[in-house]
Amino acid sequence: PVSGVAQAVAEIDPVGKLTGTSLVGEAPKGSGLGELLTVSIKGAQYPHAFENGKAVAGAVDVVADFSKL
């Protein structure tokens, strides 16, 4: 098994649904852990951001440490 870390950004709409993901990085590079992370965060429900008391779109930084498995 491969161990390492991956980081991605999840873009969230005002109702908490995922609208996009982008891979920030993975270590070791080329390990596929970044792809595993981005696939695994799809379909999840996220809390939306608030601005002046109203729900707005936002982003969540997601970091996974695969060495703890």
Side-chain angles (χ1 to χ4, degrees), residues 2-65:
V2 176
S3 67
V5 295
Q7 180 177 0
V9 174
E11 298 163 13
I12 314 301
D13 73 7
V15 295
K17 292 190 179 181
L18 184 71
T19 59
T21 60
S22 58
L23 178 62
V24 175
E26 65 182 355
K29 190 170 181 154
S31 62
L33 295 175
E35 182 179 354
L36 177 62
L37 176 60
T38 56
V39 168
S40 65
I41 62 177
K42 290 181 180 176
Q45 184 74 22
Y46 295 89
H48 48 71
F50 281 96
E51 187 174 300
N52 296 322
K54 295 184 179 182
V56 295
V60 177
D61 190 31
V62 181
V63 179
D65 184 350

